Amino acid sequence: MAEMNTNYKQASIKNNANGGYYQKWRLIKDSLARYGVVVGGLGVILAIVLIFFYLLYVVYPLFISAKAESVSQYDVPEKQLGNTLLLSLEEQNEVAVRLTDTGQAVFFEAPTGKTVAIKTVGIPDGAKVSSFAQGSPVRGDLIYGLSDGRAIVAKLKYDVTYPNDVRLITPSLAYPLGDSPLVLDDSGAPLEKVAVKAGDDLTTVVVKAAGKIRLISFQKEESLFEDEASLTRTDAFLEIPNADISDILIDKEQRNLYLVHNDGNLSFFDISNKSQPVIKQHLNLVAAGQKITAVTFLNGDLSLLIGDSSGMVAQWGMVRDEMNRTALQKIRVFKVSDSSVLAINIEQRRKGFMTLDASGNMGIYHSTAERELIKERISDSRPLAATLSPRANALLVQKDNGKLHFWRVDNEHPEVSLKVLWQEVWYESYAKPNYIWQSSSSSNDFEPKYSLTPLVFGTLKAAFYSMLFATPLALMGAIYTAYFMTPAMRRYVKPSIEMMGALPTVILGFLAGLWLAPLIENHLAGIFALFMIIPLGVMLFAYGWHRMPEHIQHKIPEGWDAALLIPVILLSGWFAFAVSVPLEELCFNGSLKDWLKHEWGMAYDQRNSLVVGLAMGFAVIPTIFSIAEDAIFSVPKHLTVGSLALGATPWQTMTKVVLLTASPGIFSAVMIGLGRAVGETMIVLMATGNTPVMDLSIFQGMRTLAANIAVEMPEAEVNSTHYRVLFLAALVLFTFTFVVNTLAEVIRQRLRERYSSL
């Protein structure tokens, strides 16, 4: 007996020791789990904060102010060779040129003023330069009008070589129409005004001499049997009542000609047919008492910039009216100074421009963004000449004191402003202001359109239609599954629906774009018939089942009633599609799409919001269903049993007790589903036309923020404006999701506090 007690005590001590060991190990594991959860949670928060600040870091340069800094000043190179007609910089800002009124081209180092080369235009003896004009700043075309009725067309060229891996820029002059002067006026009168626009095969020249305006074109024709190309010349006179011309402009396509009169009027000619120019419009450009002091094309030659004596610069562009007729119309106005505008220099790759006024102020502006980027006083008197570099990162100004000033310009992202991003903007060639996203083109003349409004609209539209489809089905299914369905059936239904959430969205988008979209288009009437035939079929079946004998009803176990509706829904759906074509023939003259277009003006796009709503709703349903079903199923049983015991019906218990208690979870389910819909990418990318249009119609597509980022980010140049605007779109999406989720959590907590006493 004593031995047994001893063994029992030893066993108890051993068990206590083992129990203490396991208790300590369990406490250690609890501590590790607790700290692991804390560290994991803080890590998630830290990751979200880092993502936010990284997006902010990439986006911030868009809103940094531009600045200009004077680098150097020096005497005008080779001042004895004549007065400056034009200053120009090459692309690398290493070499500049000063074209003089004696026909000299002085090439010099832009930062220092050291002369690099001097080229002479072959002006004949006895003739002088009577007029001068620059053609295209991009191509470097020039024309010298002479006092004997002749002219010389030249072109600036810069050859870049790399001897010993060092960049060497060699400037020169070329003569696209030959180095011999061209006779443009037979009478030998001085050419008072000249203009040129040179292309690869066609060059157009307009001259004013002896009170007449002459249009001359040179067509280059190459022969198989001759080494040199021949020029075919065409002459025409312009019939205008007032030949008092101050400026002549030819667009780059050599189809439009603009004559600016000294009285502030403008004559617009169509010169597509060089032998028969046609006047299209004559209008006044400035207010009474004002004079036009500067005029030039904006980059792309689609708009004119008109500077006047009041310090205003107006942008005039070609706009089509309701009759599809084009006419010049004022698009926007910039107040650049209180003094007269002396000169306007354009950027060669963007829609920006630089102005000089009579008070010595320099300003840099962007037309589309309607922004004043830089305002600097560069002289105490009237500047004589100025130029912007091709990359718009440097400028050169000549003052009347014989000095040249070289400036560096930091102006990386002038295209972006709050107006461009969120308001209507009047773009070139558009009839009116609008919200447009069009970020890229193959031409440098393109005007980027960075409106985020249609992308945000498309995001909300896609989320709205998907939630409209998914929320009722998911919540009603969750209520029935959690509260009314038998546990045996629930074990099959809940996992099956949750497995829907495991389907890759790229597969859903693929099916939606290639199968569902054509199916809906071919059975559009059947799709709408589904919303009537399926509820009607279910109601008829329910009424018939209710009228069935009780012994037949009792053969179906309680909670399995929903299984009987599966064939009913399938048959109703089949019937809706079967009657689709006859229904369209009977009610809509054979085509519901055409009927909608003719009767209601609603165009139908195959990949539209209806397709997105069904496909993305299918992807969102598992998320909402699973969370809402868990919330409803987790309502304590004593609440439902107590309600039923007090005489409430199952539906009263559901609506008055269960739903209120589970409302925080149900609300969270809907908000998480909304977040999934807002951030969805592949379905909206493949199931819509992916066009950034703002149309509430369910038959039109859209482009969402997420899809836009996925499509355009691989093609965006790193650190470009386009690249940073895409990150701004990501920041907007991030902020929207964060704000919605935060508000949802606040509301959920309040619902939880309110109904926690049930």
Side-chain angles (χ1 to χ4, degrees):
M1 188 68 179
E3 184 178 355
M4 291 179 61
N5 290 334
T6 302
N7 292 336
Y8 177 77
K9 290 180 180 179
Q10 291 176 351
S12 298
I13 293 172
K14 184 177 181 180
N15 289 335
N16 290 334
N18 290 335
Y21 170 78
Y22 287 121
Q23 182 69 17
K24 290 180 180 179
W25 177 238
R26 187 175 67 179
L27 292 175
I28 292 173
K29 290 191 291 184
D30 289 345
S31 299
L32 291 174
R34 182 170 65 254
Y35 288 117
V37 170
V38 172
V39 171
L42 292 176
V44 171
I45 295 174
L46 179 62
I48 293 174
V49 172
L50 289 176
I51 290 172
F52 173 78
F53 279 104
Y54 177 73
L55 294 175
L56 205 60
Y57 167 76
V58 178
V59 168
Y60 175 69
L62 289 175
F63 304 99
I64 295 178
S65 301
K67 58 183 179 180
E69 180 183 5
S70 179
V71 176
S72 59
Q73 62 175 326
Y74 42 82
D75 294 331
V76 173
E78 311 298 336
K79 188 175 182 180
Q80 70 279 3
L81 294 181
N83 298 323
T84 302
L85 295 176
L86 179 72
L87 287 175
S88 179
L89 276 165
E90 55 82 32
E91 186 175 16
Q92 305 299 332
N93 302 330
E94 295 180 11
V95 178
V97 63
R98 187 175 74 91
L99 300 168
T100 71
D101 56 2
T102 60
Q104 304 294 322
V106 180
F107 295 93
F108 57 95
E109 294 179 357
T112 64
K114 180 181 178 181
T115 301
V116 174
I118 299 176
K119 303 294 181 180
T120 302
V121 178
I123 298 177
D125 294 336
K128 295 181 179 180
V129 177
S130 58
S131 56
F132 173 84
Q134 182 182 24
S136 168
V138 178
R139 297 179 63 93
D141 307 324
L142 312 166
I143 183 169
Y144 290 84
L146 305 180
S147 57
D148 59 0
R150 292 185 289 178
I152 299 175
V153 177
K155 182 178 181 180
L156 296 171
K157 291 186 64 178
Y158 299 95
D159 296 324
V160 182
T161 57
Y162 291 88
N164 300 321
D165 294 330
V166 178
R167 182 169 57 209
L168 176 63
I169 300 175
T170 306
S172 62
L173 286 178
Y175 300 92
L177 300 181
D179 54 2
S180 299
L182 302 169
V183 178
L184 301 184
D185 187 81
D186 300 332
S187 66
L191 302 183
E192 303 170 26
K193 295 290 181 181
V194 291
V196 66
K197 194 70 71 168
D200 294 332
D201 299 320
L202 178 66
T203 299
T204 301
V205 177
V206 179
V207 299
K208 175 191 175 185
K212 295 181 179 180
I213 309 296
R214 186 193 296 259
L215 172 67
I216 308 164
S217 64
F218 298 90
Q219 181 71 48
K220 185 181 294 185
E221 297 179 355
E222 297 183 358
S223 174
L224 295 175
F225 306 102
E226 297 180 4
D227 294 334
E228 295 183 359
S230 60
L231 293 176
T232 301
R233 174 171 170 167
T234 302
D235 286 59
F237 287 97
L238 302 179
E239 299 295 335
I240 57 173
N242 179 12
D244 188 13
I245 303 300
S246 62
D247 289 283
I248 305 173
L249 296 98
I250 309 168
D251 76 332
K252 67 174 186 175
E253 301 295 336
Q254 304 180 41
R255 295 178 180 176
N256 299 320
L257 170 65
Y258 304 89
L259 302 180
V260 181
H261 303 264
N262 286 320
D263 59 2
N265 290 319
L266 178 140
S267 299
F268 164 46
F269 285 82
D270 182 354
I271 58 172
S272 300
N273 185 346
K274 299 297 185 290
S275 61
Q276 294 181 344
V278 179
I279 187 168
K280 304 292 289 186
Q281 192 178 6
H282 187 80
L283 72 162
N284 186 271
L285 299 180
V286 293
Q290 303 299 331
K291 294 182 179 181
I292 296 177
T293 55
V295 58
T296 188
F297 280 115
L298 192 62
N299 180 36
D301 293 5
L302 296 176
S303 298
L304 292 173
L305 295 175
I306 308 295
D308 60 31
S309 55
S310 67
M312 306 291 288
V313 173
Q315 179 183 350
W316 292 74
M318 302 301 298
V319 177
R320 291 187 179 273
D321 59 16
E322 296 179 355
M323 304 299 294
N324 203 31
R325 296 173 301 190
T326 58
L328 273 175
Q329 188 170 340
K330 187 185 293 185
I331 295 177
R332 55 181 61 90
V333 177
F334 297 85
K335 178 63 176 176
V336 302
S337 175
D338 294 327
S339 304
S340 176
V341 177
L342 294 181
I344 303 174
N345 296 88
I346 66 166
E347 294 188 17
Q348 297 181 20
R349 301 179 182 180
R350 300 182 300 205
K351 299 296 181 177
F353 61 93
M354 179 182 72
T355 63
L356 295 174
D357 66 19
S359 300
N361 296 314
M362 178 273 294
I364 295 180
Y365 302 83
H366 193 274
S367 61
T368 307
E370 299 187 25
R371 293 179 62 189
E372 180 184 272
L373 301 161
I374 296 174
K375 190 78 169 184
E376 292 282 349
R377 186 170 182 83
I378 59 175
S379 175
D380 295 330
S381 56
R382 295 168 66 96
L384 298 181
T387 184
L388 266 174
S389 72
R391 296 183 179 180
N393 57 357
L395 61 92
L396 199 61
V397 180
Q398 180 179 341
K399 298 182 179 181
D400 59 358
N401 61 358
K403 296 288 186 180
L404 275 175
H405 282 243
F406 180 67
W407 292 64
R408 296 286 184 188
V409 178
D410 184 7
N411 184 22
E412 290 294 325
H413 309 290
E415 306 97 331
V416 177
S417 66
L418 292 178
K419 179 178 177 63
V420 167
L421 294 174
W422 302 111
Q423 298 180 25
E424 291 182 323
V425 177
W426 197 340
Y427 297 101
E428 289 180 324
S429 302
Y430 282 78
K432 60 181 181 179
N434 207 344
Y435 301 103
I436 301 174
W437 173 274
Q438 187 181 359
S439 58
S440 61
S441 175
S442 59
S443 172
N444 285 335
D445 301 334
F446 172 70
E447 183 178 23
K449 305 167 182 66
Y450 291 130
S451 177
L452 295 181
T453 303
L455 304 181
V456 173
F457 177 87
T459 301
L460 297 178
K461 181 181 179 182
F464 170 76
Y465 282 116
S466 62
M467 294 297 289
L468 187 65
F469 172 73
T471 303
L473 292 179
L475 293 184
M476 294 301 104
I479 291 172
Y480 187 86
T481 303
Y483 190 71
F484 295 102
M485 188 177 288
T486 182
M489 188 176 183
R490 179 177 178 270
R491 284 196 294 269
Y492 293 101
V493 172
K494 190 173 188 295
S496 299
I497 296 179
E498 289 177 343
M499 285 179 62
M500 290 167 49
L503 289 174
T505 55
V506 66
I507 301 299
L508 294 177
F510 177 80
L511 293 175
L514 298 183
W515 172 74
L516 182 61
L519 178 69
I520 292 176
E521 183 181 26
N522 296 329
H523 300 87
L524 186 58
I527 294 295
F528 288 103
L530 281 173
F531 295 101
M532 296 180 289
I533 293 176
I534 289 182
L536 181 61
V538 171
M539 291 174 62
L540 290 176
F541 177 79
Y543 177 77
W545 180 256
H546 181 69
R547 305 294 294 179
M548 285 282 184
E550 291 188 1
H551 68 278
I552 296 179
Q553 295 183 16
H554 291 324
K555 289 183 178 181
I556 304 300
E558 185 178 359
W560 286 85
D561 312 59
L564 298 175
L565 292 176
I566 295 176
V568 175
I569 293 174
L570 294 177
L571 288 173
S572 299
W574 171 84
F575 180 74
F577 280 92
V579 300
S580 174
V581 175
L583 188 63
E584 291 193 47
E585 293 286 347
L586 179 65
C587 301
F588 304 107
N589 298 324
S591 174
L592 178 56
K593 293 188 301 180
D594 295 338
W595 184 86
L596 287 170
K597 185 175 182 179
H598 293 148
E599 296 296 328
W600 288 3
M602 298 175 64
Y604 184 89
D605 187 8
Q606 185 188 69
R607 300 185 178 185
N608 52 45
S609 303
L610 180 59
V611 177
V612 172
L614 295 176
M616 197 154 70
F618 186 84
V620 171
I621 281 176
T623 302
I624 301 177
F625 171 86
S626 180
I627 299 174
E629 200 274 346
D630 286 339
I632 296 171
F633 189 78
S634 299
V635 173
K637 295 299 180 183
H638 68 270
L639 295 179
T640 58
V641 173
S643 175
L644 294 172
L646 291 173
T649 64
W651 275 106
Q652 289 175 330
T653 301
M654 168 58 64
T655 57
K656 302 297 184 181
V657 178
V658 176
L659 290 183
L660 293 180
T661 306
S663 58
I666 295 174
F667 184 78
S668 296
V670 174
M671 288 297 103
I672 293 175
L674 177 62
R676 168 77 186 276
V678 168
E680 179 55 47
T681 303
M682 296 310 300
I683 294 177
V684 293
L685 184 63
M686 304 176 72
T688 72
N690 209 30
T691 52
V693 295
M694 295 183 63
D695 193 333
L696 286 171
S697 172
I698 196 173
F699 303 120
Q700 290 295 311
M702 79 290 287
R703 178 180 287 195
T704 66
L705 289 166
N708 186 68
I709 295 169
V711 169
E712 299 195 6
M713 185 61 77
E715 301 177 359
E717 179 186 353
V718 176
N719 295 332
S720 65
T721 301
H722 180 203
Y723 177 85
R724 296 188 189 279
V725 170
L726 291 177
F727 269 84
L728 178 60
L731 182 62
V732 170
L733 186 60
F734 181 94
T735 304
F736 175 81
T737 306
F738 178 79
V739 171
V740 169
N741 288 340
T742 301
L743 292 176
E745 181 62 20
V746 172
I747 296 174
R748 190 187 71 84
Q749 290 293 344
R750 291 190 177 184
L751 290 174
R752 187 175 181 180
E753 292 174 2
R754 180 173 181 179
Y755 298 113
S756 61
S757 59
L758 291 178

